[in-house]
Amino acid sequence: MAQKKAQSGKKQPDKKKAEPAKKAQTAKKAEPAPKAEPTKKAEPAPKAEPAPKVEPVPQAEPETKPAAPVYDTPRRSVAFIGSECHPFVKTGGLGDVMYALPRALAAQNCDVRVILPRYACIPQKYQDKMVYRGEFYMDLGRTGRNYYVGIMEYIWDGVVYDFIDNQEFFTAGNPYVGLVEDIPKYCFFSKAALAALNYMNWIPDVIHCHDWQAALAPVYLRTLFRDSPVGRAKTVLTIHNLRFQGIYNIPTIRYWTGLPDEVFNMGALQQDYVNANMLKGGLAYADRITTVSNTYAGEIQTPEYGEKLEDHLRYHNYKLRGIVTGLDYEMWNPATDPALAVHYDITNVLQHKPENKRALQQELGLVQDEGKFVIGLISRLTNQKGLDLVNAVLPQVMDGNTQVVVLGTGDKQYEDTFRWYENEHKGMFAACIQYDEARAHRIYAGADALLVPSRFEPCGLTQLNAMHYGTLPIVRETGGLKDTVEPYNVFTGGGNGFTFDRYDAGLLLDAINRAKTEYFTSRYHWDEVVQRDMAKDVSWANSARQYKDLYLELTPW
Ligand code: ADP
């Protein structure tokens, strides 16, 4: 009942916020938001093309319900602005956060609206569900033109999704094409998102932007939109991937943004004498900066991890913090996971996990023996993931009692090496060079341990998945791996997994050997850790509470 009320509340403009519809200074010809009606005025829906890596999720298709709302903190309204969101379009972890966090926040007494580009590659079944919410024209930078901004809306499980429609910018088959096209596209998107909030007369308490594609929103908000209704919102900018920053030459960014000269200085958008950096500008203007783990928040202030923004981040570190990403318990639940051979939970994991191990061995053509120690590795096969360390230690790991299962795609060099190992250790090594969600689920369920020896890892999901499935992680102590995996303590029996600190093959081998020793000689203690890991709260609810606290800190009325 309470949940229903909260949901219906989302469709109504908040009374407090429904102040006279002062239009965004840049939104021309705006009319009051018409009642949602069929796609009458919308530009013809573009033909759907396959979205990049929009993975079929084994079980959590839309009709799942978020947790019942918790009303122990005051209500806040939040607009999410980002470039991707599962299940509409996803190329990485950002898409997962844009999907799960708003839903978890809706359950934390937040009124959430997610603003996304209406890419042509969004599957047709979602395009069909969108309803026309309005349209206006908006100037952009120094182009001298007014651009069409359509708003298509889709309300789902207490979260409102508003898609910014413009055929000129969002028709490519992939959200990211190349900087030449992406820079104008996301200048347009950031500005249109703010103008759309003004147009809809829905002024949030907090605007939460994600990565460089939305990083200009805080800059626009404090400059061109300062005196418009949306100008009163506070801003949070979350860094998911510091590697991509939206860097291009100053004249081009000046041309497309139309931002005043004062923002092109070394403290804000300017990168050097030649270039401007959109993420850097956003970091300067945002009221708060977050990244996806506390340790990573510290690491990015050092030259090793800072991607050349370490000085800038150190300067702004008073407003920087880390909040670890959560796990979607509907998508990841060994008790209901349709991909698994046998379902299990914490009460019967010790009985059913070996059955999943045997099924996995059979599926992958490995020697079927529950007594073998099975190590999984599920990863993009890139430098970041510490695969050079793995390659260095594999000859010693393959001792006849250990099986290794690799699932991933990426650099050819790694793909070929793992294929070679599969051939060399037939029946003991499986190299699955593919992207296969269901198989990933089965590896989490069937393996005893999961390897994550990353060079750097902002948060990392695989170690969370593993723990939730009773598989012990073997990780390097960096970023989110350090924050989520407590090292096993052989004296007290406490901890969640096996860890090593320096990026060193010898230390990785040592950690793997400690895990093996525990598994083969002290199974009772091993099993205790399995159950402890399954009981560990790695849910989104936990993370969403921390985001809610952050919003309340920014809006302390
Ligand atoms: P990344 O740096 O790639 O975002 P994360 O650990 O944050 O790494 O997230 C990776 C997610 O993608 C996990 O949920 C993992 O299960 C999944 N994944 C990675 N590679 C594959 C693959 N080859 N097949 C299926 N799922 C994969």
Side-chain angles (χ1 to χ4, degrees):
M1 172 71 182
Q3 185 179 356
K4 229 181 184 170
K5 213 166 157 193
Q7 287 183 9
S8 63
K10 274 164 204 85
K11 293 170 207 165
Q12 314 289 339
D14 187 336
K15 275 206 186 106
K16 195 170 62 176
K17 284 158 222 124
E19 283 155 15
K22 206 169 133 196
K23 284 175 199 120
Q25 53 176 176
T26 45
K28 301 204 175 101
K29 286 201 227 159
E31 292 156 30
K35 253 185 117 194
E37 51 181 271
T39 55
K40 199 168 69 183
K41 286 195 217 162
E43 296 187 1
K47 235 177 151 245
E49 289 169 41
K53 247 175 99 179
V54 177
E55 308 88 15
V57 180
Q59 96 200 60
E61 254 304 293
E63 279 62 39
T64 50
K65 290 275 166 284
V70 180
Y71 291 114
D72 58 354
T73 53
R75 193 161 182 80
R76 289 291 179 267
S77 51
V78 188
F80 269 56
I81 306 180
S83 59
E84 55 182 88
C85 177
H86 171 86
F88 311 111
V89 59
K90 174 185 155 187
T91 67
L94 168 63
D96 288 327
V97 176
M98 292 286 290
Y99 160 76
L101 182 54
R103 291 159 62 92
L105 283 168
Q108 296 283 332
N109 202 14
C110 282
D111 201 356
V112 195
R113 206 171 263 264
V114 181
I115 304 184
L116 298 161
R118 186 195 179 192
Y119 300 111
C121 61
I122 293 174
Q124 193 61 39
K125 67 173 175 174
Y126 298 116
Q127 301 265 9
D128 291 344
K129 287 181 181 161
M130 299 175 189
V131 290
Y132 171 80
R133 180 75 160 80
E135 69 182 53
F136 58 88
Y137 283 81
M138 179 187 84
D139 61 12
L140 183 67
R142 296 173 188 184
T143 60
R145 281 181 54 196
N146 280 331
Y147 286 82
Y148 171 85
V149 181
I151 306 173
M152 302 295 290
E153 196 161 276
Y154 175 35
I155 301 174
W156 167 31
D157 270 358
V159 178
V160 181
Y161 296 86
D162 282 316
F163 294 86
I164 301 294
D165 191 17
N166 181 294
Q167 300 276 304
E168 212 169 312
F169 288 112
F170 302 135
T171 43
N174 194 313
Y176 315 121
V177 186
L179 278 183
V180 175
E181 285 159 61
D182 291 351
I183 295 281
K185 176 165 47 181
Y186 292 113
C187 290
F188 167 81
F189 172 61
S190 302
K191 189 174 183 187
L194 297 181
L197 289 171
N198 275 340
Y199 172 78
M200 293 186 287
N201 201 13
W202 192 86
I203 308 304
D205 299 318
V206 177
I207 295 180
H208 191 157
C209 314
H210 299 263
D211 274 352
W212 76 268
Q213 295 92 344
L216 280 186
V219 188
Y220 277 126
L221 200 77
R222 301 286 170 246
T223 52
L224 305 184
F225 286 78
R226 187 174 39 206
D227 300 322
S228 74
V230 77
R232 79 166 184 82
K234 300 287 184 189
T235 55
V236 176
L237 176 58
T238 295
I239 304 168
H240 300 262
N241 194 338
L242 191 56
R243 187 149 283 178
F244 302 106
Q245 300 175 5
I247 301 174
Y248 217 76
N249 67 58
I250 295 171
T252 304
I253 292 195
R254 211 188 274 265
Y255 175 83
W256 283 107
T257 59
L259 284 165
D261 288 345
E262 80 239 23
V263 306
F264 291 92
N265 67 68
M266 289 303 286
L269 249 95
Q270 197 173 335
Q271 168 89 357
D272 51 36
Y273 287 117
V274 180
N275 290 315
N277 179 329
M278 287 162 63
L279 181 67
K280 185 169 181 238
L283 296 172
Y285 278 85
D287 295 309
R288 288 285 186 280
I289 305 165
T290 72
T291 187
V292 286
S293 72
N294 223 6
T295 298
Y296 190 62
E299 287 172 343
I300 56 177
Q301 297 175 51
T302 66
E304 194 181 346
Y305 299 91
E307 301 285 348
K308 301 206 174 110
L309 279 185
E310 60 273 12
D311 295 343
H312 192 62
L313 285 161
R314 261 203 314 281
Y315 184 80
H316 290 283
N317 72 5
Y318 68 96
K319 59 181 183 184
L320 167 66
R321 78 174 59 166
I323 300 177
V324 290
T325 302
L327 208 62
D328 188 334
Y329 276 13
E330 285 156 4
M331 204 181 285
W332 298 98
N333 182 359
T336 56
D337 192 330
L340 304 194
V342 185
H343 291 150
Y344 60 95
D345 58 30
I346 190 165
T347 61
N348 55 20
V349 54
L350 302 179
Q351 182 192 342
H352 292 320
K353 208 164 161 45
E355 296 168 35
N356 280 299
K357 181 195 279 193
R358 196 171 266 278
L360 181 70
Q361 288 167 327
Q362 185 179 11
E363 172 182 342
L364 301 178
L366 297 175
V367 173
Q368 290 179 50
D369 179 352
E370 284 166 19
K372 300 281 185 236
F373 182 59
V374 177
I375 302 178
L377 176 78
I378 301 175
S379 175
R380 286 184 290 117
L381 302 182
T382 67
N383 238 346
Q384 178 200 334
K385 300 293 183 178
L387 302 171
D388 43 350
L389 299 190
V390 176
N391 279 340
V393 303
L394 271 177
Q396 284 117 300
V397 171
M398 304 307 299
D399 57 6
N401 291 314
T402 306
Q403 296 180 338
V404 175
V405 176
V406 175
L407 175 67
T409 56
D411 295 354
K412 195 166 181 316
Q413 150 209 2
Y414 295 124
E415 293 185 350
D416 289 346
T417 312
F418 290 130
R419 285 194 184 106
W420 184 86
Y421 274 111
E422 181 177 64
N423 197 41
E424 188 71 7
H425 299 276
K426 289 204 174 72
M428 297 302 278
F429 194 106
C432 311
I433 308 303
Q434 60 185 166
Y435 190 94
D436 185 337
E437 288 249 333
R439 178 161 284 178
H441 285 236
R442 286 193 289 276
I443 296 173
Y444 290 120
D448 296 298
L450 190 93
L451 215 49
V452 200
S454 305
R455 191 182 288 273
F456 70 92
E457 196 60 78
C459 178
L461 289 177
T462 55
Q463 83 281 11
L464 301 182
N465 296 335
M467 287 191 283
H468 200 53
Y469 277 54
T471 302
L472 272 49
I474 302 174
V475 306
R476 172 156 180 257
E477 290 169 17
T478 182
L481 299 172
K482 184 170 181 185
D483 292 356
T484 54
V485 181
E486 191 192 324
Y488 176 69
N489 185 324
V490 71
F491 301 106
T492 64
N496 309 107
F498 299 85
T499 71
F500 64 104
D501 53 7
R502 264 181 307 110
Y503 192 78
D504 180 290
L507 296 184
L508 168 61
L509 183 61
D510 181 54
I512 294 173
N513 284 340
R514 275 184 280 128
K516 275 188 197 174
T517 307
E518 207 57 28
Y519 180 82
F520 286 117
T521 66
S522 187
R523 185 66 65 83
Y524 174 80
H525 289 120
W526 178 276
D527 289 345
E528 270 186 345
V529 186
V530 166
Q531 285 167 316
R532 184 178 315 131
D533 282 2
M534 285 193 76
K536 188 176 160 74
D537 184 0
V538 289
S539 69
W540 260 114
N542 211 355
S543 315
R545 262 194 300 276
Q546 296 179 53
Y547 280 107
K548 178 74 186 285
D549 288 345
L550 177 69
Y551 301 154
L552 289 171
E553 234 176 83
L554 282 172
T555 56
W557 47 82

